[in-house]
Amino acid sequence: MDADSLLLSLELASGSGQGLSPDRRASLLTSLMLVKRDYRYDRVLFWGRILGLVADYYIAQGLSEDQLAQRKTLYSLNCTEWSLLPPATEEMVAQSSVVKGRFMGDPSYEYEHTELQKVNEGDKVFEEEIVVQIKEETRLVSVIDQIDKAVAIIPRGALFKTPFGPTHVNRTFEGLSLSEAKKLSSYFHFREPVELKNKTLLEKADLDPSLDFMDSLEHDIPKDEETGAQRVKPKDTVSVKVLELHSSGMNWIVK
Amino acid sequence: MEDSTSPKQEKENQEKLGEARRSWEGKTAASPQYSEPESSEPLEAKQGPETGRQSRSSRPWSPQSRARTPLGGPAGPETSSPAPLSRREPSSTPSPPAPARQDLAAPPQSHRTTSVIPEAGTPYPDPLEQSSDKRESVPLHTSQSERNTFQQSQQPKPHPCGPRDVSYNNAKQKELRFDVFQEADSNSDCDLQLPAPGGSEGAPSMLETAIQNAKAYLLKTSSKSGFNLYDHLSNMLTKILNERPENAVDIFENISQDVKMAHFSKKFDALHNENEMLPTYEIAEKQKALFLQGHLEGVDQELEDEIAENALPNVMESAFYFEQAGVGLGTDETYRIFLALKQLTDTHPIQRCRFWGKILGLEMNYIVAEVEFREGEDEEEVEEEDVAEERDNGESEADEDEEDELPKSFYKAPQAIPKEESRTGANKYVYFVCNEPGRPWVKLPPVIPAQIVIARKIKKFFTGRLDAPVISYPPFPGNESNYLRAQIARISAGTHVSPLGFYQFGEEEGEEEEEVEGGQNSFEENPDFEGIQVIDLVESLSNWVHHVQHILSQGRCNWFNSIQKNEEEEEEGEEEDEEKEEPDYIEQEVGPPLLTPISEDLEIQNIPPWTTRLSSNLIPQYAIAVLQSNLWPGAYAFSNGKKFENFYIGWGHKYSPDNYTPPVPPPVYQEYPSGPEITEMDDPSVEEEQAFRAAQEAVLLAAENEESEEDEDEEDDYD
């Protein structure tokens, strides 16, 4: 959620029950402003909250002019002091994929994972148990990265690409109509496209290069009606047409 | 020439600008200045033709008449006048005059655009056709012509059309621009220039024809899309001028796209527009009913009644506390739920009601209310057919109609465990659900132990429709309403807690040696409860207790010994089984008794089952204690020392660190006794048959031989 429209977005997202207490909200507003100033971001988004056993992590992301560029992620335990997280690498993701269970809530906490590694000693090959220590920070980074890659979405038309390269927010984007908003095809994954190149030429001919430069949600597996990867659910509120897309924890509100 | 006329022209310009400004709203064709904008525009984008076009459009109106007049003449000096101004101050302080000029320039722009278009500026058919950038057509050339003259005056001919994007900061850039446009419109320039200084008589007619030609070209309909450029441009410009976006030139292409798209959506429909029944309208209707008070006949009486027996909980108060903890639905939604609960209590005879929580579903959500009916006012419960039982009966009974008696299977389904009576155990409360506040409340059926047992093994998302089937393995006996009820029962049993001492057991009724089903399942509020310090509540889990009975693995709260004969259901205990039907002895299951502190709860993989927090670290004196369940994510409880409340909001699933895997089907059951009569055997092969026959014949032969011998003997005897 944009730091500017934080309160409104929080109110709309409250349908799933997760909200912020007043002191958190207030401190978020102030601290996000300061973050924007200090790090000189173009936009600061409040990404969300990861629940831990002892404490919760509040995550924010900063964007530069180019919307599709790598976002900088910051975390905070108390919504007032933010620390920058290192960008995610493949190695980190692979390493933290073995850790299961809840987050502790302490960024310096280390998970221990015993691995069997084959060690060659001369002619003998035997397995040794090695205890690998994985820091919670690493896990945090990779989890955020995975969630973003999997379920960060944006409506079609909200961003457009100029021939010069950078992606901009489309200021003439007025939103989606109700019927459009219910369709999965009007949303894209908010990340570098992975599947676009695999499309046939015929399909590509229909696309508009300035708008359709990201993967559409339509082709996400599972495509089954019942267990769709993304669910579009109209929330019946009177004043505003709101849709929520749930993806086990990540909600997207489209007005 | 320039110098002399420039101050005059300048004044003239300024005046006209002022005029233009005043009258720009009406878009009347006053005589706005064709002034500095040339230089001011370029401050912004300089992206080439497109932006040039834009700047052109935003250029102030230049009187058509003037355009038409011999360009060499008045237009020249006029155009030249602002330019020198700008020229003179390129590097010094462009800013102060520039913004001023820009401002002034802005109003007149509108004039220019609207009036330019209808009147199709300068007539130069040839240059138009040859111009590479077709969009710029009319305005381009008008200003171009002006620029040309300007340039003319400035520099020796022939000079190309003026710089559309003059950066008066950088003269060199200007020259570059000149070059660009020189290439682009060299022809036009020549043409422009030729007639310009020429006679004034030839120009108008040529201009006119050129204008008409240009306009005709613009009006040409595209074969592909049916639009024509003229209309499209005018629509676009209208839109831009109406909306006045910032940095319009940057988003110009998008605007163009949008205008094209908009053309498709608006179709002239001869039919009357039916008022759309949007789903949002429907829900608004329903919710409006909530807000109506409903006619009251005895207003005063009713009010008193309402205030007196308040079955309705103070949902808003609990919501406030939960909000401190960061949990809850928004204020609006909570209020609507509040009203919906009020409606529930008004329509049903309810003693106590509580907002249990919200369960999210794929298509729709459920709002759950926990309700206790008044004594004796229980609604009749429909006997539910125990699906499991039916199936068992079918299986265990052999089909005896056939001639050959089929072997009887000695599979005996385990006897279905009967559900608990209402008001006891898992069925202590009745639950009502609705999808949205405003929709009617639906009562959920009581839960059956079999459902709980199976619910523990499956993990399905709720769809939001109560009659949806639950397709799973092991097969769930019931549909979504049963599954929902089972999950609600499990969640309540697992996560409803209260501060120690808030509830106490009722007066002791005799001995409690036997762990009878009566057990200790009745509790009441402790009137002497004095509250516990919030700090204590946070620090130690033993200050919280469960006040809902634990559900045994059997699926009930109170142990049911299925081995017993029906008459002895009441009596429980450690009775040994002496029946011969079931030689097994089923151990009685024991669960933790009621009101056990939650510190006794089991951990999951070293994760404590509960997390306690203070709602706010900054202001601890008014903070409340918040409990979060790690076993059932989404279950919360708060207490401020005296008050407490439980709440659930989530998907309705238990936490498991690993992914869900359905249980493996059991091994094939040895259903029938095996014996030769039903054991399969291969048919004898031909050799075997022959051998068998041979053997038989041999036996027969032997027998015959004996007989024949006997006969022979007999015959011999006769002899």
Side-chain angles (χ1 to χ4, degrees):
Chain A
M1 311 165 176
D2 222 317
D4 303 327
S5 56
L6 187 63
L7 290 179
L8 178 63
S9 322
L10 275 178
E11 183 74 26
L12 289 173
S14 59
S16 63
Q18 297 297 327
L20 289 179
S21 59
D23 70 341
R24 292 265 182 259
R25 254 184 279 160
S27 44
L28 253 188
L29 279 176
T30 14
S31 56
L32 283 181
M33 278 293 123
L34 291 175
V35 161
K36 188 169 171 183
R37 177 200 71 181
D38 290 338
Y39 288 88
R40 272 178 279 257
Y41 290 134
D42 200 50
R43 273 205 307 167
V44 173
L45 304 175
F46 177 54
W47 188 90
R49 172 172 73 175
I50 293 189
L51 300 171
L53 286 181
V54 176
D56 297 334
Y57 294 107
Y58 293 88
I59 315 288
Q61 286 187 330
L63 276 86
S64 49
E65 271 281 342
D66 182 6
Q67 306 290 321
L68 262 192
Q70 180 76 295
R71 297 192 273 272
K72 309 270 189 317
T73 319
L74 303 115
Y75 80 94
S76 160
L77 290 164
N78 56 7
C79 278
T80 22
E81 287 143 12
W82 297 86
S83 336
L84 194 60
L85 281 174
T89 58
E90 296 246 347
E91 195 195 316
M92 278 187 189
V93 173
Q95 217 186 20
S96 354
S97 58
V98 294
V99 183
K100 290 196 196 159
R102 303 283 305 270
F103 273 94
M104 278 309 285
D106 172 18
S108 51
Y109 179 79
E110 300 206 338
Y111 296 95
E112 290 181 356
H113 171 69
T114 49
E115 261 182 22
L116 292 175
Q117 271 195 12
K118 292 207 170 153
V119 178
N120 285 336
E121 269 200 19
D123 293 332
K124 283 190 276 180
V125 177
F126 57 89
E127 297 187 357
E128 232 186 57
E129 277 197 13
I130 297 188
V131 176
V132 178
Q133 303 250 349
I134 302 165
K135 284 186 68 176
E136 175 142 312
E137 227 182 53
T138 322
R139 190 177 172 212
L140 188 64
V141 165
S142 47
V143 160
I144 295 177
D145 187 56
Q146 281 176 327
I147 294 180
D148 262 345
K149 285 216 165 77
V151 292
I153 63 176
I154 198 141
R156 179 176 187 270
L159 297 181
F160 75 97
K161 205 167 182 165
T162 54
F164 301 116
T167 330
H168 297 292
V169 173
N170 185 357
R171 294 208 336 261
T172 59
F173 177 58
E174 288 165 354
L176 302 170
S177 69
L178 189 61
S179 57
E180 265 180 42
K182 284 196 189 155
K183 294 192 286 194
L184 280 180
S185 55
S186 28
Y187 300 98
F188 291 135
H189 280 286
F190 190 25
R191 56 157 199 237
E192 294 289 335
V194 169
E195 284 174 35
L196 262 191
K197 318 172 240 199
N198 297 338
K199 287 197 180 227
T200 63
L201 275 182
L202 271 183
E203 284 176 347
K204 278 198 210 166
D206 288 331
L207 302 178
D208 176 3
S210 68
L211 290 182
D212 293 303
F213 53 94
M214 292 180 281
D215 296 329
S216 165
L217 282 192
E218 243 185 334
H219 304 294
D220 272 1
I221 295 163
K223 258 208 269 197
D224 190 10
E225 268 302 309
E226 252 193 41
T227 57
Q230 320 281 356
R231 304 290 310 190
V232 180
K233 202 164 74 173
K235 171 173 162 177
D236 296 321
T237 52
V238 184
S239 51
V240 166
K241 288 185 284 187
V242 165
L243 290 183
E244 301 181 339
L245 281 95
H246 290 281
S247 186
S248 41
M250 187 130 196
N251 297 354
W252 286 86
I253 312 289
V254 174
K255 262 198 292 189
Chain B
M1 181 172 81
E2 298 172 22
D3 295 313
S4 55
T5 51
S6 58
K8 230 208 264 170
Q9 289 295 342
E10 208 184 54
K11 268 198 214 151
E12 228 185 335
N13 289 351
Q14 297 296 332
E15 276 173 17
K16 282 170 187 162
L17 265 179
E19 252 183 313
R21 193 179 207 169
R22 269 174 257 128
S23 53
W24 77 270
E25 260 109 15
K27 294 199 182 185
T28 50
S31 50
Q33 289 307 321
Y34 175 83
S35 64
E36 55 293 340
E38 269 198 38
S39 37
S40 53
E41 286 316 311
L43 264 187
E44 307 180 49
K46 288 165 199 189
Q47 287 180 20
E50 282 89 75
T51 52
R53 194 226 175 283
Q54 168 110 20
S55 54
R56 177 116 335 125
S57 59
S58 51
R59 182 159 311 113
W61 159 272
S62 110
Q64 292 309 312
S65 52
R66 291 199 194 176
R68 284 203 212 103
T69 54
L71 297 169
E78 200 188 286
T79 57
S80 64
S81 51
L85 279 173
S86 57
R87 286 296 183 86
R88 273 180 226 139
E89 328 163 19
S91 40
S92 48
T93 46
S95 21
R101 284 192 210 144
Q102 266 175 348
D103 289 344
L104 291 172
Q109 290 164 23
S110 52
H111 292 275
R112 178 179 175 79
T113 50
T114 46
S115 31
V116 159
I117 293 163
E119 287 197 70
T122 35
Y124 287 110
D126 298 331
L128 276 174
E129 283 160 17
Q130 288 156 14
S131 159
S132 51
D133 193 349
K134 315 237 184 281
R135 267 203 202 157
E136 308 169 24
S137 50
V138 176
L140 168 62
H141 289 278
T142 23
S143 38
Q144 264 186 355
S145 56
E146 286 153 358
R147 274 217 181 110
N148 287 339
T149 54
F150 152 60
Q151 285 305 318
Q152 257 178 291
S153 46
Q154 285 292 338
Q155 289 156 22
K157 358 172 166 177
H159 251 274
C161 45
R164 288 169 310 159
D165 311 333
V166 171
S167 154
Y168 50 74
N169 286 332
N170 198 344
K172 270 195 192 155
Q173 249 186 18
K174 272 187 261 166
E175 311 225 343
L176 276 175
R177 301 273 174 207
F178 298 170
D179 293 336
V180 166
F181 295 114
Q182 178 173 23
E183 286 156 20
D185 306 323
S186 46
N187 294 328
S188 60
D189 300 336
C190 302
D191 292 328
L192 281 174
Q193 285 161 24
L194 285 173
S200 43
E201 293 158 7
S205 56
M206 278 204 64
L207 266 171
E208 276 171 18
T209 30
I211 289 174
Q212 281 161 11
N213 285 343
K215 188 170 179 183
Y217 169 75
L218 287 179
L219 282 168
K220 196 161 73 171
T221 320
S222 145
S223 51
K224 197 165 95 165
S225 57
F227 298 147
N228 68 41
L229 189 54
Y230 193 85
D231 289 336
H232 183 62
L233 284 175
S234 55
N235 289 340
M236 258 197 348
L237 290 175
T238 319
K239 180 170 176 172
I240 292 177
L241 291 169
N242 284 337
E243 293 176 6
R244 307 257 161 178
E246 263 181 41
N247 290 345
V249 66
D250 290 333
I251 51 176
F252 191 71
E253 293 82 11
N254 293 6
I255 297 177
S256 168
Q257 253 182 354
D258 286 343
V259 168
K260 281 191 183 160
M261 281 199 299
H263 187 270
F264 280 113
S265 50
K266 264 191 247 162
K267 289 228 158 90
F268 175 64
D269 209 346
L271 301 171
H272 283 295
N273 272 343
E274 215 184 81
N275 283 338
E276 265 185 75
M277 273 314 282
L278 285 177
T280 40
Y281 295 153
E282 287 182 28
I283 198 71
E285 273 291 327
K286 297 212 176 88
Q287 289 179 350
K288 185 176 165 190
L290 279 182
F291 290 93
L292 294 175
Q293 260 213 337
H295 53 258
L296 307 168
E297 289 174 358
V299 178
D300 296 330
Q301 187 63 26
E302 294 249 8
L303 268 179
E304 280 180 20
D305 277 349
E306 273 191 39
I307 297 172
E309 2 167 320
N310 213 355
L312 192 60
N314 192 348
V315 171
M316 296 310 286
E317 193 185 350
S318 316
F320 166 75
Y321 283 115
F322 275 116
E323 196 193 348
Q324 303 292 311
V327 173
L329 314 163
T331 321
D332 294 336
E333 193 166 343
T334 321
Y335 195 77
R336 277 193 216 111
I337 293 174
F338 197 16
L339 288 176
L341 282 176
K342 175 167 183 305
Q343 192 194 54
L344 181 66
T345 49
D346 286 342
T347 44
H348 294 83
I350 289 175
Q351 168 121 13
R352 235 190 320 239
C353 162
R354 200 175 76 80
F355 177 39
W356 186 90
K358 180 169 175 182
I359 290 193
L360 306 170
L362 293 174
E363 289 167 29
M364 289 185 287
N365 304 322
Y366 290 116
I367 296 175
V368 182
E370 188 182 74
V371 148
E372 204 176 300
F373 280 116
R374 283 194 212 132
E375 296 286 338
E377 298 229 28
D378 268 1
E379 302 187 0
E380 290 193 8
E381 292 164 8
V382 180
E383 280 236 350
E384 288 183 13
E385 304 194 359
D386 206 335
V387 181
E389 256 176 351
E390 274 189 18
R391 240 186 279 141
D392 298 338
N393 291 337
E395 277 174 328
S396 52
E397 287 177 18
D399 201 336
E400 310 201 36
D401 292 342
E402 311 217 349
E403 298 177 350
D404 296 324
E405 250 189 48
L406 291 175
K408 285 201 191 144
S409 135
F410 48 66
Y411 167 73
K412 187 137 172 80
Q415 182 190 0
I417 301 168
K419 69 172 193 247
E420 293 175 293
E421 292 297 310
S422 58
R423 292 178 179 275
T424 61
N427 284 322
K428 182 158 187 192
Y429 296 106
V430 178
Y431 292 92
F432 280 85
V433 294
C434 76
N435 285 120
E436 290 274 340
R439 294 207 210 232
W441 289 94
V442 178
K443 181 170 164 224
L444 285 181
V447 68
I448 294 172
Q451 290 169 350
I452 292 196
V453 166
I454 298 196
R456 283 181 167 144
K457 297 187 186 151
I458 66 176
K459 185 169 184 176
K460 297 280 281 179
F461 279 106
F462 293 99
T463 59
R465 289 169 288 124
L466 283 173
D467 51 358
V470 176
I471 301 169
S472 63
Y473 181 79
F476 187 79
N479 58 16
E480 183 155 310
S481 55
N482 303 101
Y483 183 48
L484 180 62
R485 179 68 180 81
Q487 291 294 91
I488 292 177
R490 288 173 71 199
I491 293 174
S492 300
T495 63
H496 278 25
V497 293
S498 57
L500 178 68
F502 192 91
Y503 288 119
Q504 66 183 11
F505 289 121
E507 294 170 5
E508 303 207 347
E509 308 160 355
E511 303 150 4
E512 359 170 339
E513 52 184 40
E514 293 181 46
E515 288 172 13
V516 291
E517 55 184 317
Q520 290 288 341
N521 63 355
S522 65
F523 55 82
E524 58 184 33
E525 276 187 41
N526 181 355
D528 303 327
F529 180 60
E530 279 170 4
I532 305 182
Q533 288 293 321
V534 169
I535 304 289
D536 291 335
L537 283 174
V538 170
E539 281 176 7
S540 156
L541 284 180
S542 52
N543 283 322
W544 294 85
V545 296
H546 286 282
H547 61 257
V548 177
Q549 269 184 308
H550 175 79
I551 300 185
L552 307 167
S553 52
Q554 199 186 35
R556 287 170 55 110
C557 293
N558 306 306
W559 166 251
F560 172 75
N561 202 342
S562 54
I563 306 165
Q564 296 288 334
K565 281 300 192 187
N566 291 340
E567 296 92 6
E568 295 171 297
E569 257 177 51
E570 300 291 322
E571 236 183 307
E572 298 303 42
E574 310 86 332
E575 290 197 11
E576 303 264 352
D577 173 55
E578 286 164 7
E579 305 287 336
K580 286 183 186 127
E581 286 177 10
E582 290 288 332
D584 300 321
Y585 167 65
I586 300 181
E587 243 185 61
Q588 176 178 9
E589 294 173 31
V590 171
L594 199 57
L595 298 192
T596 44
I598 61 179
S599 45
E600 314 270 332
D601 283 356
L602 297 170
E603 296 184 346
I604 285 193
Q605 284 202 3
N606 305 328
I607 298 174
W610 295 91
T611 307
T612 56
R613 305 249 174 97
L614 262 186
S615 67
S616 150
N617 286 325
L618 300 170
I619 308 178
Q621 58 265 43
Y622 293 114
I624 55 173
V626 179
L627 261 194
Q628 229 176 334
S629 169
N630 294 327
L631 203 54
W632 290 97
Y636 299 93
F638 85 85
S639 169
N640 69 350
K642 297 254 172 68
K643 274 196 272 257
F644 84 97
E645 183 63 64
N646 297 297
F647 188 69
Y648 180 82
I649 172 145
W651 295 93
H653 296 131
K654 199 170 189 177
Y655 171 70
S656 115
D658 303 311
N659 290 331
Y660 169 69
T661 45
V664 182
V668 177
Y669 189 80
Q670 192 71 288
E671 260 186 283
Y672 300 94
S674 55
E677 60 270 11
I678 62 167
T679 319
E680 275 188 7
M681 286 185 297
D682 287 332
D683 278 344
S685 66
V686 182
E687 292 84 15
E688 284 180 18
E689 271 195 19
Q690 282 176 350
F692 185 68
R693 202 176 300 147
Q696 266 200 341
E697 279 174 10
V699 169
L700 268 177
L701 257 177
E704 277 180 15
N705 282 344
E706 283 183 9
E707 287 181 7
S708 61
E709 277 177 10
E710 288 176 4
D711 288 343
E712 280 173 7
D713 286 340
E714 288 178 1
E715 283 177 9
D716 284 342
D717 287 342
Y718 289 148
D719 283 345

